[in-house]
Amino acid sequence: EPEVTQTPSHQVTQMGQEVILRCVPISNHLYFYWYRQILGQKVEFLVSFYNNEISEKSEIFDDQFSVERPDGSNFTLKIRSTKLEDSAMYFCASRAQETQYFGPGTRLLVL
Amino acid sequence: EDQVTQSPEALRLQEGESSSLNCSYTVSGLRGLFWYRQDPGKGPEFLFTLYSAGEEKEKERLKATLTKKESFLHITAPKPEDSATYLCAGGDAGNNRKLIWGLGTSLAVNP
């Protein structure tokens, strides 16, 4: 059964460093998303991506964040200068019809 | 403001002891009410989508129902392997269908 994959599973970085989180969505899906979940808090929407451009973004998704689909399979989230409060689980999701399917997540820890 | 609230936050059951989880929502133009299961350190795993009040869906020991204001996830004769966090999310009315999440119910089923 097709699934969303994410790498790395864990990332530890120093404050101010750039990180790139990678996702491979399900191959025939057209809509892609990033969400994050800070420990003990709700899952939060960050950004949606369709037709090679951002279709919607939340207030969290400021100029420090960017997304890219560099080829036909990968979907990346870049954080340019990480802050302590960026520490969270980051989930990628994709959908073809109504349902979003999620990857296993990347746990990001900013020190 | 769109909001999804789940109760209880935590629930402990004995194996075989049936119960229900609640999800109340205020999401303008709701496009689907989604239930996901999340195991510790993993991504949300899709369970059900409900679209209309009165709709019901079943999968093994789980049944989800929907009214105009809330959804219930009924767990019949649960087993220890049903232990997980159950997340409810409302689908946003926009084309991007971003999900608005509840905090989840952490379910523990004791053998």
Side-chain angles (χ1 to χ4, degrees):
Chain A
E1 184 174 328
E3 59 183 17
V4 177
T5 60
Q6 290 185 244
T7 55
S9 59
H10 294 80
Q11 174 95 43
V12 181
T13 190
Q14 295 292 321
M15 189 169 57
Q17 294 298 303
E18 175 183 288
V19 294
I20 297 175
L21 310 183
R22 291 182 168 79
C23 168
V24 179
I26 295 172
S27 63
N28 63 339
H29 287 188
L30 299 178
Y31 297 85
F32 313 114
Y33 304 82
W34 285 100
Y35 292 83
R36 78 174 185 190
Q37 186 177 32
I38 295 171
L39 190 63
Q41 296 186 23
K42 293 182 178 183
V43 177
E44 301 173 288
F45 167 77
L46 293 178
V47 65
S48 60
F49 193 85
Y50 171 71
N51 201 24
N52 283 321
E53 61 182 18
I54 291 174
S55 50
E56 187 174 353
K57 59 184 181 180
S58 71
E59 292 178 355
I60 302 167
F61 195 90
D62 61 21
D63 291 345
Q64 294 301 311
F65 290 87
S66 63
V67 289
E68 195 176 39
R69 187 157 162 82
D71 53 42
S73 59
N74 291 286
F75 180 49
T76 62
L77 174 68
K78 182 192 291 186
I79 310 175
R80 288 189 185 82
S81 178
T82 50
K83 305 179 182 122
L84 296 176
E85 54 265 37
D86 293 328
S87 295
M89 281 287 283
Y90 287 81
F91 295 109
C92 173
S94 68
R95 74 175 173 95
Q97 302 296 326
E98 300 293 328
T99 299
Q100 293 180 33
Y101 294 91
F102 285 78
T106 293
R107 184 175 295 281
L108 177 65
L109 179 60
V110 182
L111 302 176
Chain B
E1 182 185 344
D2 293 339
Q3 196 163 359
V4 174
T5 303
Q6 293 187 246
S7 62
E9 289 188 12
L11 182 63
R12 186 174 293 275
L13 300 174
Q14 288 299 122
E15 185 171 2
E17 180 187 1
S18 302
S19 189
S20 296
L21 313 182
N22 177 265
C23 169
S24 62
Y25 63 91
T26 51
V27 177
S28 300
L30 183 82
R31 296 285 295 271
L33 189 291
F34 296 80
W35 283 97
Y36 288 84
R37 168 187 170 134
Q38 187 177 32
D39 291 301
K42 302 287 181 65
E45 176 188 345
F46 172 72
L47 293 173
F48 303 108
T49 312
L50 302 165
Y51 292 102
S52 306
E55 189 174 359
E56 297 183 354
K57 288 194 177 170
E58 284 189 68
K59 179 180 179 180
E60 296 180 354
R61 296 177 292 282
L62 300 177
K63 182 169 82 172
T65 62
L66 183 67
T67 72
K68 287 185 179 179
K69 294 183 179 179
E70 56 192 349
S71 177
F72 293 93
L73 185 66
H74 307 279
I75 303 177
T76 302
K79 297 182 178 181
E81 53 262 43
D82 295 322
S83 297
T85 296
Y86 290 86
L87 298 171
C88 168
D92 175 79
N95 289 333
N96 301 304
R97 314 283 175 84
K98 70 176 184 283
L99 295 177
I100 299 155
W101 297 82
L103 189 55
T105 294
S106 176
L107 174 67
V109 181
N110 296 326

